[in-house]
Amino acid sequence: MNRIQKFFTKIKGLLVHRFFQVLLFLILGLFAYGLMFSNVKPEKIQVELFKPAEQTIRSTKTVEDTYKTEQEKEEISKQVADVYTLKKEYAKNKVDLISSIFDSAIEVNKETDPERDKKEEGKEDKKEPIKTDAQKVSILKEKLTDEVNRNIEDSVFLALVQADEDELEIAKDSTITAVNNVMSSRIAASDVENAKKKVVEELGYMSINSDMKKASNSLARTAIIQNVFFDKDKTEEQRRKAIESVEPIRILQGQIIVEENQLVDRDVYRQLELAGFLSTESTIYPYIGLLLFILLTFGAFYYFFSFSISKRDNKYNQLLIFSLVFILSMATMKTVSVLADLKNSNLEYIFPGAMAAMLIKILLNDKLAVAMIILLGSYGTIIFNGDTPGNLDFSMGLYIIFGGLAAIIILSRPNFKSKVLIAGLLMSLINMAFVFSLIFIMDGHYTKMEYLYHAAAAIGSGVGSAVLTMGLLPFFEAGFGILSSMKLIELSNPNHPLLRKILIEAPGTYHHSVMVANLAESACEAIGSNGLLARVGSYYHDIGKTKRPHFFIENQMNEENPHDRLQPETSRDIIIAHAVDGGEMLRSHKFPKEIVDIAEQHHGTTLLKFFYYKAKKQDDTTVEACYRYPGPRAKMKEVAVIGIADSVEAAVRSMQHPTPEKIEELVSFIIQDRIQDGQFDECDITMRELSIVKHSLCESLNGIFHSRIEYPEPDKLGQKVKE
């Protein structure tokens, strides 16, 4: 074990205690807080009234400009015209008044008519006839109100009582019609005189005597009054509606309040004050907000690592790897943001955000990779806020999260874990498409060179993530003893020295190992285990047989079996030794622990039945435990499946005419035998998974040992052709 592994082993030993777990999260939180402190620190802006601004100032928040809003409301209120209401009943009232005056005059004339004063036959009493016009006028006034009498001249009354009934009827109809026509239109105070002239004009066509015409004109003019009046309530209502329709005038977040070298006039100064740039009081709210944000995120991760991951060794390994990748990514993010600020460019798009997702995906699992990229994306909105009003750049956060999720999806495809660079190139295209989508959504106006610059940064991010991932993987694998997919693929290379050793020195064992690898990989993938680990482990599970290859039947090519001449005890020691020898050989070649475990555990503590029963015949006192493998039993599902596949492949290969029924019966027997022997007691494989393994092994074996056409011998074939 190298120094790096020893160092991390010591740290993992400390993390067993909850105190050191909390301490680690506190260190990570303080590290993140220190990196983001300057990004939330309020910027001090120096501006003076009636002096040019030293820099372009954008509003960091959306705030209502109450002064301009009130100005707009006043302007809108002034534009609302006064509301005047037409009193339609005025026309009817005046028509009725004129009609009543004429009717009263007709009545007076009838009452004072001499013909009506003659004695009626049979009547003695008789009133004296009224003959004077003054008396008639007096009677007429009595029929009318005092107000009407005051407004009408005596000459009009005189003309009315002097006219006969026909003239009165004509005058009445004409006057009523003219008054009704004029009063039906809108007459403001300023239009009354014109309306009176108009009614006189309409009466000019009457064919009556001049005195009666003058009386009618006078009555008509008296009837014409103002019928349109200012409506205060409706006017106020209209103005209120107009004021309510005014949208508040706001200073929007990101809006330029003043540009560099622009004169700061009173209006600009007022807007700066509203946006909070002129406040001399220092605020601690951004720092408190950042602290709460970090506490929330790391509190969630602490809960996840404390209660969601049960395996201790794996738990502390994951915690350390997650922490290191986080520190590395945050340091890279901060470096890129500082360089972007110095160069005043969009250099932030070159940040290799997907590197963290790719490392966690390959070294740990998808769940933690997604958590990591969400964490980095949320912190990226703060760190990359250089040219953004406020303290959050959501577009950059989306860019990091989207790129990281794309990397996780790409690496989830078969064989892509071994092609990180190709995945990086694909990510470059995705990054470029996403950057352009952001630019187009925000309707940014860029030159061709700026578009090329953004495209180059996106490509650099994808390729850089892949290159950094490939460069950092060996360090993590060496430091934590992690068996990554890339390492497994490297070990599966047929040119590996140990695989070539098996092929050359024990070709039968090599063929057997390849067959077991095919069976175990399919079965492991069927139950959701690591199929690649099962395949590579199967290649090396019998490496110990290369010490004495001819003592194993698959390597005996037309040779005498040496076990026929050996005592059962000796044969037992040779056969059992291959598991122990294999583990030692793999350790000496610095193989990962998982591969060593497969070599040592694939037989578990099973019984060497053939040599045990042979020894039992020779000596009844033979102890069964002496003919069992030393173990240990399978600790992982992959080891359990390889052990079953190893036994099944050897047994089926020894069958004379394997059929699907015989194969299924044999596989069921081997699995049940191992269950009853307690070989899976230390492994978390379930009965349901064993049933799936059985089905997968049967399918694979039926494909290998399927029935073939039995061709006739050459002589018989020739005879049939002749016939």
Side-chain angles (χ1 to χ4, degrees):
M1 184 180 293
N2 56 36
R3 291 181 179 178
I4 299 176
Q5 283 181 316
K6 288 181 179 178
F7 173 73
F8 287 125
T9 302
K10 288 181 180 179
I11 295 179
K12 283 190 284 184
L14 292 174
L15 289 176
V16 174
H17 306 286
R18 189 173 296 276
F19 170 78
F20 288 101
Q21 295 176 24
V22 175
L23 181 62
L24 176 61
F25 278 98
L26 284 175
I27 292 171
L28 292 176
L30 288 173
F31 174 75
Y33 192 87
L35 289 182
M36 294 186 284
F37 180 84
S38 60
N39 295 99
V40 300
K41 184 178 180 181
E43 186 179 1
K44 297 293 183 182
I45 296 176
Q46 299 294 331
V47 290
E48 293 185 37
L49 188 61
F50 302 125
K51 287 190 177 181
E54 296 179 359
Q55 64 187 89
T56 298
I57 303 174
R58 296 175 181 269
S59 177
T60 58
K61 59 184 178 181
T62 298
V63 61
E64 182 182 350
D65 190 337
T66 54
Y67 178 76
K68 283 196 172 180
T69 302
E70 289 302 321
Q71 277 190 330
E72 182 70 16
K73 288 180 178 179
E74 288 181 11
E75 189 66 28
I76 289 293
S77 178
K78 289 177 181 177
Q79 292 176 6
V80 175
D82 293 338
V83 177
Y84 289 86
T85 303
L86 172 65
K87 302 290 186 178
K88 294 183 178 180
E89 66 273 15
Y90 281 22
K92 182 177 184 304
N93 292 341
K94 293 299 181 181
V95 167
D96 291 343
L97 177 62
I98 298 300
S99 178
S100 297
I101 292 172
F102 277 102
D103 289 342
S104 297
I106 292 171
E107 287 179 6
V108 170
N109 287 345
K110 284 182 178 180
E111 291 175 358
T112 58
D113 187 357
E115 294 297 325
R116 294 178 69 250
D117 292 332
K118 289 180 178 180
K119 282 185 179 182
E120 293 181 3
E121 192 175 345
K123 292 184 179 180
E124 297 179 355
D125 294 336
K126 177 186 173 186
K127 292 183 179 180
E128 289 294 326
I130 302 172
K131 297 180 180 179
T132 64
D133 292 335
Q135 290 177 328
K136 291 181 179 180
V137 169
S138 178
I139 295 172
L140 177 60
K141 284 185 177 182
E142 288 177 358
K143 293 180 178 289
L144 301 175
T145 63
D146 293 340
E147 183 179 358
V148 172
N149 293 332
R150 285 196 300 269
N151 294 330
I152 299 176
E153 298 174 355
D154 289 342
S155 60
V156 174
F157 289 129
L158 183 61
L160 290 175
V161 297
Q162 289 177 347
D164 59 29
E165 187 174 346
D166 292 335
E167 285 182 328
L168 287 173
E169 289 291 344
I170 294 171
K172 173 186 174 182
D173 292 340
S174 299
T175 306
I176 288 174
T177 301
V179 169
N180 187 60
N181 290 340
V182 174
M183 285 294 291
S184 296
S185 60
R186 299 175 68 89
I187 304 173
S190 58
D191 298 329
V192 172
E193 193 58 37
N194 290 331
K196 289 182 176 183
K197 291 179 180 179
K198 185 176 180 181
V199 76
V200 171
E201 290 177 0
E202 287 197 18
L203 291 173
Y205 301 101
M206 285 192 303
S207 57
I208 55 178
N209 64 67
S210 60
D211 290 338
M212 192 66 240
K213 184 177 289 188
K214 288 179 182 180
S216 295
N217 289 341
S218 179
L219 286 174
R221 286 177 61 85
T222 304
I224 301 302
I225 61 172
Q226 176 185 353
N227 63 359
V228 173
F229 297 90
F230 172 70
D231 193 327
K232 182 180 179 181
D233 293 336
K234 287 188 176 181
T235 302
E236 291 297 327
E237 183 181 357
Q238 292 297 322
R239 287 175 180 169
R240 180 178 55 80
K241 288 181 179 179
I243 290 172
E244 289 177 354
S245 67
V246 175
E247 291 290 335
I249 298 175
R250 295 182 176 90
I251 302 172
L252 301 177
Q253 182 179 5
Q255 178 180 329
I256 296 176
I257 299 177
V258 60
E259 294 186 352
E260 186 178 358
N261 296 323
Q262 179 184 342
L263 184 69
V264 179
D265 56 20
R266 291 192 181 279
D267 189 52
V268 171
Y269 195 81
R270 180 183 51 77
Q271 291 182 20
L272 290 171
E273 186 176 12
L274 280 173
F277 288 107
L278 303 183
S279 177
T280 56
E281 296 180 2
S282 57
T283 178
I284 62 171
Y285 291 121
Y287 309 120
I288 295 175
L290 178 61
L291 179 62
L292 288 174
F293 185 54
I294 291 175
L295 286 175
L296 285 172
T297 52
F298 278 104
F301 279 105
Y302 175 77
Y303 178 84
F304 176 77
F305 279 106
S306 297
F307 302 103
S308 299
I309 304 176
S310 56
K311 295 181 181 178
R312 282 196 169 186
D313 292 339
N314 191 34
K315 174 180 178 177
Y316 304 135
N317 238 21
Q318 289 187 2
L319 181 54
L320 279 177
I321 292 172
F322 190 91
S323 301
L324 287 174
V325 173
F326 173 76
I327 290 171
L328 181 64
S329 300
M330 287 292 289
T332 307
M333 189 187 298
K334 186 64 177 180
T335 303
V336 173
S337 71
V338 170
L339 291 175
D341 289 340
L342 290 175
K343 294 184 176 292
N344 195 25
S345 62
N346 289 320
L347 187 65
E348 61 265 20
Y349 286 118
I350 205 171
F351 168 64
M355 172 196 69
M358 296 171 86
L359 282 172
I360 299 297
K361 161 75 178 176
I362 295 171
L363 296 172
L364 302 179
N365 55 55
D366 291 359
K367 201 179 291 184
L368 286 175
V370 171
M372 171 63 81
I373 205 63
I374 292 175
L375 182 65
L376 290 178
S378 58
Y379 286 176
T381 61
I382 298 174
I383 290 181
F384 290 111
N385 65 352
D387 294 332
T388 307
N391 288 330
L392 298 172
D393 184 355
F394 292 105
S395 61
M396 193 61 198
L398 285 174
Y399 175 73
I400 294 171
I401 292 173
F402 191 88
L405 292 177
I408 294 169
I409 293 170
I410 292 171
L411 289 181
S412 297
R413 294 182 57 194
N415 301 323
F416 255 80
K417 288 183 180 179
S418 61
K419 301 175 182 177
V420 176
L421 186 59
I422 297 176
L425 292 174
L426 281 176
M427 277 193 43
S428 298
L429 298 176
I430 294 172
N431 285 346
M432 188 164 56
F434 189 75
V435 168
F436 284 142
S437 71
L438 289 177
I439 291 173
F440 295 151
I441 288 172
M442 294 186 292
D443 196 20
H445 300 285
Y446 295 95
T447 62
K448 290 182 179 179
M449 286 302 298
E450 286 175 323
Y451 280 118
L452 289 174
Y453 181 83
H454 282 87
I459 292 171
S461 174
V463 175
S465 297
V467 171
L468 287 171
T469 300
M470 291 189 296
L472 291 170
L473 270 178
F475 293 100
F476 282 97
E477 291 171 358
F480 291 91
I482 292 175
L483 183 58
S484 66
S485 299
M486 295 183 69
K487 181 66 175 177
L488 287 172
I489 291 168
E490 179 186 334
L491 293 175
S492 68
N493 190 338
N495 292 319
H496 192 281
L498 285 188
L499 283 183
R500 290 191 62 81
K501 179 181 177 67
I502 301 173
L503 177 62
I504 294 170
E505 298 179 10
T509 298
Y510 181 84
H511 179 264
H512 162 71
S513 298
V514 172
M515 295 292 288
V516 172
N518 293 332
L519 295 173
E521 182 182 35
S522 299
C524 281
E525 288 181 349
I527 62 173
S529 292
N530 192 338
L532 183 57
L533 173 60
R535 169 172 285 281
V536 178
S538 298
Y539 287 159
Y540 294 95
H541 81 287
D542 278 342
I543 185 68
K545 291 182 179 180
T546 57
K547 278 198 172 184
R548 305 175 189 87
H550 297 294
F551 284 88
F552 298 90
I553 192 167
E554 67 265 20
N555 297 314
Q556 296 167 5
M557 306 298 180
N558 300 320
E559 299 176 7
E560 182 184 359
N561 190 343
H563 292 288
D564 294 340
R565 295 178 281 102
L566 297 176
Q567 289 297 316
E569 295 83 358
T570 306
S571 296
R572 173 200 65 192
D573 294 339
I574 293 171
I575 298 299
I576 288 177
H578 88 275
V580 179
D581 292 340
E584 292 176 353
M585 291 175 67
L586 292 172
R587 282 194 190 91
S588 65
H589 283 79
K590 308 294 183 185
F591 264 63
K593 182 179 180 297
E594 290 85 351
I595 305 297
V596 176
D597 288 344
I598 290 172
E600 291 181 337
Q601 299 173 15
H602 71 281
H603 282 296
T605 58
T606 55
L607 178 67
L608 281 171
K609 294 182 180 179
F610 179 81
F611 295 109
Y612 168 68
Y613 291 125
K614 184 177 179 182
K616 191 77 172 174
K617 285 183 180 180
Q618 296 176 4
D619 184 1
D620 288 341
T621 61
T622 301
V623 180
E624 180 183 299
C626 296
Y627 283 83
R628 284 186 177 274
Y629 281 92
R633 294 171 182 171
K635 307 289 184 185
M636 302 185 300
K637 292 181 183 181
E638 291 82 3
V639 180
V641 173
I642 290 171
I644 297 170
D646 181 42
S647 299
V648 166
E649 196 280 332
V652 173
R653 183 159 35 86
S654 65
M655 294 174 68
Q656 292 295 328
H657 298 288
T659 62
E661 292 77 15
K662 289 182 179 180
I663 289 173
E664 183 176 358
E665 184 179 351
L666 178 63
V667 174
S668 297
F669 172 77
I670 290 173
I671 292 176
Q672 287 300 321
D673 183 61
R674 291 213 168 204
I675 292 173
Q676 293 172 4
D677 199 25
Q679 296 303 314
F680 304 137
D681 290 354
E682 299 177 20
C683 177
D684 59 355
I685 194 167
T686 64
M687 294 298 294
R688 181 177 179 276
E689 288 172 335
L690 287 172
S691 176
I692 296 172
V693 168
K694 169 191 167 184
H695 180 73
S696 174
L697 291 174
C698 290
E699 277 191 347
S700 300
L701 289 167
N702 288 329
I704 297 170
F705 298 102
H706 61 275
S707 301
R708 292 178 173 83
I709 299 173
E710 187 175 347
Y711 292 101
E713 295 177 5
D715 292 341
K716 293 181 180 180
L717 181 63
Q719 183 66 30
K720 286 186 177 182
V721 171
K722 287 179 182 179
E723 291 175 358

